[in-house]
Structure formats: structure tokens, C-alpha cells
């Protein structure tokens, strides 16, 4: 029903506005379409009619908690409900333009619908000139709505190397967001996973810019739905690429601490996923809360205005991160008070501020108004920001009435969506070791499922699940299985023993560090003795941002001890890793019979794991990062040759636990016959055709990810060891062989030189697939 209202409404609106041919002020350059012309015209009219206070309100984002009805203890009442007095203050006095998140935990669809009705009412009743835009961090599913379909976290999606799957993920998440009335998703994270200590490593698409770019584009296609005119239908959401830019490159590994990123690496590594997202129409961006090269992200005019908006032509709006104008004063110490902070951030290019609490939001609006009146923020800059915000609201169709039509989303958490989440988990879980073919397991083996992460969904999902830190089991999705439960379902209670072995916890709550302690070791050992195989599930306590800061990448000592106890009993041990970042497990790798990385596989991760371990489905995931072996050595796959130089001067010192792109499967895939159709590239127009034969040498169907790397042999700046330039994922029936074709061009040979320009230098190159390599020249 609503879809019909939407379509007719929009058609009428566009017809009406298309009749106005006149070019409008501040119109975006470039991709102007009849629809965008019409939208700009409409925005002109709204801007002309808005007071200063109303414009400022559009740039203000508050958290839902500000509006919720509270009890005497100042806790949100349940079921959650909007307080009319607080709503009136936010909308009628401060004209707030955006709301985010939930109070403290996941809500039912019914609660969301009630809230949405309340927060839309001021616009629907004609009390405000623009509707609100509502955003949440639905980063691996609509995480704040009960029964939202929860997929693997982004790092797991990256391990699928599957663009179709990434788009499908985006589609489901967008649909379920809209079912909850939410039209803006603070996702995807496009920060590069180059600092495994960082608590948000799991939110990234891994260490490689090409993989992150390709999958990032696909996720955005899924979120926004790809339409020619850039309009978003009621089943899709605005994407928010974040956090622009360099947030993940923190030197200390701790959240929101400084990064040093030279221009070369900014351009080669950190920019590409964002640039591609802008080209792909991403509607919004969130700013880096940290500091890059001494400048806090929120006051970096060069990055926000010059590069993002002017050079790249980004037409959407930039939202600050949580409380960032306050942090410019209190944490980064670049502004002597909040007033100066607001001016610095807004003038640098931040369009909307995630203020987001009370009384800060009232203060923000008052200070913004003062700054414009004092002439410290120009009216043009304010209009530009509001225009950008209204543009996104128009593209989302939010000016249409009746946004909140819950019954229009019958496929919320449908069986089909759950199957997609299960398939994503199946495709991401990565086999890292399988000695003497211990896997697949046999159904008649007696298995001890053990370890601190084996029997709670919080470990499979990680942070941003039902609550910010995702650590409260009270909100776990009903009906979804823990690893222990999935084993029992699959092999029956008789063949499945369970012992926790150790407990993972955070000492003293949020401020504390992750710890573990042994639990009933004798029970664990007694059950281990009875088992044919021990599936030991180890990993991390759920966390993100500051609460996720750790002191060392080493996995906790007690988890190492659990493995060693099992080895001491001469038992076959399958180590199952459930972790957001790669934790050092070197001391227990050699004696493990098999090792499986599940990342944070989501609500269906346990089912997927069991299907893979018993060989019902073949493994296909490959690591989207280099898995470190030592706490003191963090290396990446594209390291220059010097990184591999040993003390003896030999070149063999590059020694990760597992390399980027690594992943085993049942059976072997053979690569042969690497061919190139020419021995040189001579100009921008030339296309080098590359082909390789890939054969499934086993009797089990397989999906294989084929990775193509290019190596520049000599260059005026030390070249990367190799760079991922293409990949493909293909299904192979037993014994099937396929020829896979790729094309590369001069673009793929370029690097950023000392002046900061992308150039290609003549000379020798190699194209490499698996262990095969072919030389060609750029002449
Ligand atoms: C995080 C963002 C998130 C925002 C809203 C911040 O603390 O850094 O990634 O989108 O909160 O929840």
C-alpha cells in the first residue's frame, strides 16, 4: 500500500518539478538528472522558507534516549515510548533533523513502529518543514530490532570474497531496517583492517584496498538499491561510508588514537574504498573520530571539503561521530571551548553533528545560531550543509507521508533471509589447518565441545548486536543455536559432551580489560578423556571502540592452557576460533589437528560451522588479512621485499601465521596454464588478457576464490611485494576444470609517487595467480 502511495507521490512530485527547467543555485556539478534538478528546486523553496533556527536544527542529530519516557530512576520505561514533552522540545523548539540508535538495547518491531509514528508526527502534521532522518548501526543485520537477521560481521563477509553475497547481505539488512522504520544505516565501515590490535578490526573488510573497495561497493549497492536516478525505494536505505578517513590506522592500536599516514599510503590504501563508494553514489559519510597526521578528522578541511566534496564531487552529507565536537575540546584539545569546536568542525565540512545527548544538543543549537549571527559560520556554508541533508532526505523519499507502514514488510526475518545469513557464514568460515584429514568429522565420533565461546550467541555475533557492546546474553535471538547446541542437534546428545573449560570476561565492566579464568578443569579433562575429538572453541569477549582496547594480541593464557591440557591427553583437537581480530595462537598451532577461523559469524554461524566440520558443505572462505604469528611483528601481504629480509640477509623472514588470501578446503584445487595474450602493455588503451586453468581435483563440489596479483619488479619508490588486482569466485563440480579470464590495464600498474601523483613507470612486471607467474613489460 505504502509503496503505491510512494510511487504515485513521487511521480506527481517529479512531474511537477520537472516542468521547472531553470538551473538552481548551488546545484551539484556532474551527474545532474531531471530528478536531481527537480529535487534541487524543491530544496531551494524549503531553504527560502526556513528560519536560522530551523536550518541549524537540521544539522543536529540526537540519540533516541533523549526522547524516551523515563521512570523515577531515569531509566527508559519498557516497552519503550516517546515522551511527548521531550519530543515537543526537540522538534518545536530546536527543530532537530535527525535521530539515531536505541536507548540501551534492542526493541521489538512494535516498539519501533510506535517510536517512528511519534517522531514522524511533527512533519506529517505540518509542524516541521522537513522530516527526520533516522540512523542506526545495522552493521551486520538490523541489530537493534528483535529477530533481525544477523549475518557475519564485515570481516567475515570479506572472507567470502563474494560480491553477490555482499550485495544480498545489503539488501536484506536494508529491507529489515525499513521494516523497523529506519532509513539510514551507519555502514559499511570502509576503514582498512591494517591494525589487528584495533578493537574494530572485525568491522572492516580486511587489509587490502582492492578487496575492501569491491565488497564495499557491493554492500552499498545492496543497501541503497541501484537505481539510475539515485532515488532510494522504501525497501532500501541510505548507506554511510565510515569513518573518513584513516581511523583504523592508529599507531597505538587503541581506539581513537592518532595515526600517521603519509600521502602515498593514504592514496594507495585508505582512500580507494571511499572514493569508489562516492563514485557509486553513497549518500552519506561519517567522519573519523581520531587524529591523522596531527589533525583531528573533524577539523580536517583538506580531507572533508577539498578532497571529499570538491575533488571527488561528494553530494551527500557528512555526519560527525559521537560527541565529536565536544571531543575537539576535551580530548583532542584543538578548540578552547565548545563554541570554537563547533565552528572549526562545521567550517571544515561536517554537515550534521551527532551531538547527541541532552543538554548538549540544546547547547549545540544555541552555539550554532550564535556562530552564524557572529559571522563565524557563513549563511552559505549553513545552506550548503542543510541542502546536502535535505537532498538525502528527498532521495530517500522521506518527504512522502505515511513512512511508517509496518505491514508492508512481510519478509522481515523470513526463512529466505535466514538462509542468506547461513550461506554467508558458510562461505566465510575459513579452514586454516587440517592435518591427516581429521576433518570432515564423522557422525559416530564422540565429540567434546569445549571452550569459553562454545555456548553463547554473544560470542558468535560480537559487538553491535542488540546492545552497543553485544555482551548481554539477555537479548540473544531466540531459536538461534550456540556451537554446543548446533553440535547436539547434528550428532545427538549421546555423542556430544560439553565443558566450558574457561570463562572469558571483562574485569570491572567497560573500563576493564578482557580476562579469562579456568572453570572446572577436572570436568573438562575427564570429558576430554572420553572423547574421540575435542572441538575447542576459543576467542574474544565481545567489544568495540574504547571498551575493546586490549594490551596484547595474545589470546588469553587460560585458553592456551585448555588446548595444552587436551594435547597432553593425546587427543585430536580441532581449534575453532571465534574472534573479531586475529589473536596470537602460535603456542597451540603445531599440535592442533585442525584449525578453523569463524570470525564473528552471526546468529547462524554455529549451524554453518557444524555443516562445514562434517563435510556437508565444503569450505571456501579465505583470510581477508594476514594472520600474525608474533605479537611484536605485524606484517601485511603486500610488504616490500625488505620486510622479508632475515638477519642473515636471506629473504625468508616474512613469517605470518597464515597469509592474506589463505584458506584450505576439502580436496585440492590445481592451478595450471597461466597465460597472457601479450608480453607487454604499451598505453592506457591496452588490455592484457590473463587466463588460468583451475581444476577441482577432488570428489567434493567446491567454490574457489582465484586471486590475481601484480608485482612491479623495480620502481623509483620501493614497490609493494605484490598487489591484489582482481579476484573471482567460481563453483567447481568434482573433477571439473574451468578456464578463468581476467583483464588488466595500465591503471593496475600505477603507484603514488613522491609528489603524490598516480603514475606507471616503464619496466618489468609479473602477474601472479596461486604459485604461477608470468612476466610482462610496460614499454
Ligand atoms: C561509532 C560509530 C557509530 C556511532 C553511532 C560511534 O561511537 O564510532 O561508528 O556509527 O557511534 O552509534
Amino acid at each position: 500500500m505504502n509503496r503505491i502511495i510512494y510511487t504515485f507521490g513521487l511521480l506527481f512530485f517529479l512531474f511537477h518539478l520537472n516542468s521547472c527547467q531553470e538551473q538552481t543555485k548551488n546545484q551539484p556539478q556532474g551527474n545532474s538528472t531531471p530528478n536531481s534538478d527537480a529535487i534541487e528546486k524543491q530544496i531551494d523553496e524549503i531553504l527560502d522558507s526556513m528560519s536560522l533556527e530551523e536550518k541549524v536544527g537540521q544539522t543536529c542529530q540526537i540519540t533516541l534516549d533523549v526522547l524516551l519516557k523515563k521512570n523515577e530512576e531515569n531509566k527508559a520505561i519498557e516497552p519503550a515510548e516517546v515522551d511527548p514533552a521531550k519530543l515537543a522540545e526537540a522538534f518545536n523548539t530546536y527543530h532537530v533533523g535527525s535521530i539515531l540508535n536505541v536507548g540501551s538495547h534492542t526493541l521489538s518491531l512494535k516498539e519501533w513502529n510506535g517510536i517512528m509514528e511519534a517522531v514522524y508526527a511533527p512533519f506529517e502534521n505540518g509542524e516541521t518543514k522537513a522530516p527526520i532522518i533516522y540512523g542506526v548501526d545495522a552493521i551486520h543485520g538490523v541489530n537493534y530490532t528483535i529477530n533481525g537477521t544477523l549475518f557475519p560481521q564485515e570481516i567475515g563477509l570479506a572472507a567470502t570474497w563474494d560480491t553477490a553475497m555482499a550485495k544480498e547481505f545489503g539488501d536484506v539488512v536494508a529491507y529489515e531496517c525499513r521494516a523497523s522504520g529506519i532509513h539510514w544505516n551507519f555502514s559499511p565501515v570502509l576503514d582498512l583492517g591494517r591494525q589487528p590490535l584495533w578493537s574494530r578490526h572485525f568491522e572492516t573488510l580486511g587489509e587490502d584496498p582492492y578487496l575492501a573497495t569491491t565488497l564495499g561497493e557491493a554492500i552499498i549497492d545492496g543497501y541503497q538499491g541501484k537505481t539510475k536516478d539515485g532515488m532510494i525505494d522504501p525497501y532500501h536505505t541510505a548507506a554511510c561510508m565510515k569513518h573518513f578517513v584513516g581511523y583504523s590506522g592508529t599507531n597505538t592500536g587503541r581506539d581513537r588514537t592518532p595515526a600517521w599516514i603519509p600521502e602515498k599510503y593514504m592514496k594507495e590504501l585508505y582512500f580507494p574504498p571511499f572514493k569508489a563508494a562516492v563514485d557509486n553514489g553513497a549518500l552519506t559519510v561519517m567522519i573519523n573520530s581520531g587524529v591523522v597526521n596531527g589533525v583531528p578528522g573533524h577539523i580536517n578541511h583538506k580531507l572533508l571539503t577539498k578532497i571529499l566534496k570538491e575533488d571527488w564531487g561528494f553530494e551527500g552529507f557528512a555526519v560527525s561521530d559521537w560527541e565529536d565536537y565536544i571531543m575537539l575540546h576535551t580530548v583532542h584539545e584543538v578548540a578552547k571551548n565548545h563554541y570554537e569546536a563547533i565552528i572549526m568542525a562545521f567550517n571544515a565540512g561536517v554537515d550534521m553533528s551527532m551531538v547527541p545527548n541532552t543538554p548538549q544538543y540544546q547547547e549545540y543549537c544555541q552555539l550554532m545560531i550564535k556562530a552564524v549571527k557572529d559571522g563565524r559560520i557563513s549563511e552559505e556554508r549553513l545552506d550548503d550543509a542543510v541542502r546536502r541533508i535535505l537532498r538525502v532526505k528527498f532521495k530517500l523519499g522521506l518527504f512522502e507521508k505515511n513512512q511508517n507502514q509496518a505491514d508492508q514488510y512481510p519478509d522481515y526475518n523470513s526463512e529466505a533471509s535466514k538462509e542468506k545469513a547461513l550461506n554467508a557464514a558458510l562461505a566465510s568460515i575459513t579452514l586454516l589447518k587440517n592435518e591427516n584429514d581429521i576433518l570432515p568429522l564423522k557422525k559416530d565420533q564422540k565429540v567434546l565441545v569445549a571452550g569459553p565461546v562454545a555456548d553463547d550467541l554473544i560470542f558468535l555475533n560480537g559487538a553491535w548486536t542488540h546492545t552497543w557492546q553485544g555482551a548481554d546474553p539477555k537479548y540473544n535471538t531466540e531459536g538461534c543455536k550456540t556451537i554446543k547446541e548446533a553440535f547436539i542437534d547434528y550428532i545427538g546428545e549421546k555423542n556430544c559432551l560439553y565443558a566450558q573449560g574457561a570463562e572469558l570476561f571483562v574485569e570491572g565492566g567497560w573500563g576493564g580489560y578482557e580476562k579469562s579464568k579456568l572453570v572446572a578443569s577436572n570436568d573438562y579433562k575427564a570429558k576430554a578423556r572420553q572423547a574421540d575429538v575435542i572441538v575447542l572453541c576459543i576467542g574474544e569477549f565481545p567489544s568495540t571502540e574504547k571498551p575493546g582496547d586490549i594490551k596484547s594480541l595474545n589470546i588469553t593464557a587460560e585458553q592456551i592452557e585448555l588446548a595444552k591440557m587436551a594435547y597432553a591427553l593425546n587427543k585430536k583437537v580441532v581449534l575453532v576460533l571465534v574472534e573479531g581480530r586475529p589473536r596470537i595462537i602460535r603456542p597451540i598451532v603445531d599440535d592442533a589437528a585442525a584449525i578453523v577461523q569463524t570470525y564473528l559469524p552471526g546468529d547462524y554461524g554455529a549451524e554453518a560451522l557444524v555443516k562445514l566440520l562434517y563435510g556437508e558443505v565444503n569450505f571456501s572462505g579465505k583470510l581477508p588479512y594476514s594472520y600474525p604469528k608474533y605479537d611484536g611483528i605485524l606484517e601485511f601481504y603486500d610488504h616490500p621485499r625488505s620486510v622479508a629480509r632475515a638477519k642473515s640477509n636471506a629473504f625468508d623472514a616474512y613469517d605470518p601465521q597464515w597469509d592474506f588470501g589463505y584458506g584450505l578446503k576439502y580436496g585440492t584445487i590445481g592451478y595450471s596454464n597461466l597465460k597472457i595474450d601479450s608480453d607487454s602493455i604499451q598505453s592506457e588503451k591496452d588490455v592484457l588478457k590473463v587466463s588460468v586453468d583451475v581444476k577441482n581435483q577432488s570428489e567434493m563440489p567446491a567454490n574457489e576464490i582465484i586471486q590475481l596479483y601484480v608485482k612491479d619488479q623495480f620502481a623509483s619508490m620501493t614497490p609493494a611485494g605484490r598487489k591484489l588486482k582482481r579476484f573471482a569466485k567460481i563453483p567447481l563440480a568434482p573433477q571439473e576444470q574451468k578456464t578463468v579470464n581476467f583483464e588488466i590495464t595500465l591503471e593496475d600498474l600505477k603507484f603514488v609517487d613522491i609528489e603524490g601523483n598516480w603514475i606507471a613507470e616503464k619496466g618489468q612486471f609479473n602477474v601472479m595467480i596461486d604459485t604461477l607467474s608470468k612476466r610482462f613489460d610496460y614499454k
Side-chain angles (χ1 to χ4, degrees), residues 372-574:
V372 177
K373 288 189 175 156
D374 290 350
R376 302 286 308 281
I377 289 174
S378 69
E379 285 187 33
E380 290 71 37
R381 171 70 194 103
L382 179 61
D383 280 0
D384 168 55
V386 178
R387 172 177 296 280
R388 288 169 178 275
I389 293 163
L390 294 180
R391 187 179 287 145
V392 171
K393 291 182 176 180
F394 269 111
K395 290 200 171 175
L396 279 165
L398 301 184
F399 281 86
E400 299 301 308
K401 304 276 166 125
N402 295 317
Q403 282 298 318
N404 192 40
Q405 300 286 317
D407 55 357
Q408 194 192 329
Y409 299 90
D411 292 336
Y412 181 83
N413 193 229
S414 65
E415 288 310 312
S417 301
K418 292 186 212 170
E419 199 176 317
K420 286 174 188 167
L422 174 70
N423 286 339
L426 282 166
S428 70
I429 294 173
T430 306
L431 180 61
L432 298 172
K433 183 174 181 188
N434 188 16
E435 214 168 64
N436 303 325
D437 293 335
I438 170 95
L439 300 179
L441 298 173
K442 287 154 209 75
K443 270 188 155 176
D444 57 2
Q445 286 170 316
K446 199 172 215 41
V447 178
L448 167 64
V449 176
V453 299
D455 195 23
D456 201 320
L457 284 174
I458 61 169
F459 299 110
L460 297 176
N461 282 301
W464 304 110
T465 307
H466 309 302
T467 64
W468 175 38
Q469 295 297 310
D472 194 340
K474 192 158 73 194
Y475 304 107
N476 284 343
T477 315
E478 265 176 46
C480 288
K481 293 174 205 156
T482 67
I483 296 177
K484 173 187 130 189
E485 289 163 352
F487 264 91
I488 292 176
D489 271 13
Y490 201 82
I491 56 172
E493 206 129 12
K494 198 169 105 283
N495 272 337
C496 185
L497 301 164
Y498 168 73
Q500 186 185 16
E503 185 194 341
L504 265 175
F505 59 98
V506 171
E507 201 173 47
W510 283 359
Y513 286 91
E514 172 202 64
K515 291 209 154 165
S516 61
K517 64 170 185 230
L518 291 175
V519 173
S521 307
N522 287 340
D523 176 57
Y524 167 67
K525 280 193 263 184
K527 286 177 177 156
R529 278 192 199 94
Q530 297 168 40
D532 300 316
V533 180
I534 299 166
V535 175
L536 181 58
C537 306
I538 56 176
E540 287 192 299
F541 194 77
S543 66
T544 186
E545 301 191 55
K546 271 277 155 215
D549 284 352
I550 49 175
K551 290 178 176 164
S552 160
L553 261 187
N554 290 329
I555 201 159
T556 62
E558 289 75 11
Q559 299 190 81
I560 297 280
E561 221 177 310
L562 282 185
K564 289 192 169 167
M565 283 181 210
Y567 300 156
L569 296 171
N570 267 329
K571 290 289 169 178
K572 297 263 175 249
V573 178
V574 178

Side-chain angles (χ1 to χ4, degrees), residues 123-144:
F123 176 68
E124 304 231 330
N125 301 338
E127 291 162 37
T128 60
K129 298 199 176 104
I132 55 117
I133 178 168
Y134 204 115
V136 301
D137 299 277
I139 67 169
H140 74 123
V142 60
N143 53 336
Y144 292 140

Side-chain angles (χ1 to χ4, degrees), residues 221-339:
D221 283 348
Y223 286 161
Q224 298 198 165
K226 221 175 161 79
T227 57
K228 268 207 219 102
D229 57 6
M231 299 298 288
I232 311 286
D233 71 26
Y235 299 94
H236 291 89
T237 57
C240 182
M241 44 182 176
K242 70 187 192 185
H243 307 76
F244 191 72
V245 59
Y247 180 29
S248 58
T250 117
N251 296 357
T252 64
R254 297 198 296 279
D255 189 47
R256 289 170 161 86
T257 60
W260 289 103
I261 305 177
E263 185 179 15
K264 177 178 174 67
Y265 297 110
M266 193 56 119
K267 289 185 171 170
E268 288 184 355
L269 300 174
Y270 291 87
F271 276 174
F274 287 95
K275 171 72 169 68
V278 170
D279 293 344
N280 200 29
L283 284 177
T284 72
V285 64
M286 191 183 293
I287 308 307
N288 168 15
S289 244
V291 175
V292 172
N293 302 334
V295 186
H298 285 78
I299 61 166
N300 199 324
H301 184 271
K302 182 173 173 195
L303 286 175
L304 302 190
T305 297
K306 172 78 184 57
I307 293 175
L308 177 70
K309 291 181 178 174
E310 292 173 9
D311 296 353
W312 296 357
F314 174 63
E315 295 174 355
F317 69 84
V319 63
S320 85
D321 204 337
W322 187 274
E323 286 188 350
D324 262 291
Y325 87 83
I326 296 165
M327 289 202 212
L328 290 175
H329 171 58
T330 57
V331 175
H332 300 311
E333 301 185 322
V334 288
K336 62 176 188 255
N337 53 37
H338 290 171
Y339 179 60

Side-chain angles (χ1 to χ4, degrees), residues 53 65 312 536 629 743 753:
E53 289 73 14
D65 201 45
W312 296 357
L536 181 58
K629 190 186 256 181
E743 292 183 346
D753 72 4

Side-chain angles (χ1 to χ4, degrees), residues 581-598:
R581 51 199 148 190
R583 304 299 292 263
I584 308 289
I585 54 165
R586 185 189 65 260
I588 52 174
V589 166
D590 286 350
D591 290 335
I595 303 179
V596 175
Q597 171 63 291
T598 67

Side-chain angles (χ1 to χ4, degrees), residues 63-209:
T63 176
L64 177 64
D65 201 45
V66 165
L67 301 177
L68 290 180
K69 223 181 239 176
K70 304 275 170 69
N71 60 20
E72 310 78 58
E73 288 155 28
N74 204 27
K75 290 223 168 84
I77 61 159
E78 299 199 7
E81 221 180 274
V82 166
D83 182 327
K86 293 176 180 166
L87 190 76
E89 185 187 11
F91 286 96
N92 302 342
T93 312
Y94 290 98
H95 315 283
V96 163
S98 179
I99 307 175
L100 86 151
N101 282 5
V102 282
S104 58
H105 59 80
T106 200
L107 302 175
S108 67
L109 266 181
K110 196 158 168 237
E111 284 172 296
W112 273 115
N113 290 321
I115 287 165
M116 288 303 165
E117 212 171 297
V119 298
Y120 264 100
F123 176 68
E124 304 231 330
N125 301 338
E127 291 162 37
T128 60
K129 298 199 176 104
I132 55 117
I133 178 168
Y134 204 115
V136 301
D137 299 277
I139 67 169
H140 74 123
V142 60
N143 53 336
Y144 292 140
T145 313
I146 292 171
N147 284 333
T149 309
L150 295 177
F151 282 73
Q153 295 275 2
E154 248 184 64
I155 199 70
L157 269 189
T160 69
W161 299 58
D162 192 323
T163 47
M165 205 165 248
K167 179 175 178 303
E168 200 168 81
F169 154 79
D171 261 325
V172 172
V173 178
Y175 182 97
E176 297 194 357
C177 275
R178 288 306 281 250
S180 315
I182 296 158
H183 16 73
W184 182 19
N185 190 355
F186 303 140
S187 176
V189 169
L190 297 178
D191 301 309
L192 227 49
R194 289 223 158 205
Q195 172 47 289
L197 275 166
W198 189 43
S199 60
R200 310 187 72 171
H201 191 262
F202 71 95
E203 298 179 43
T204 75
L205 291 164
E207 80 185 38
D208 178 68

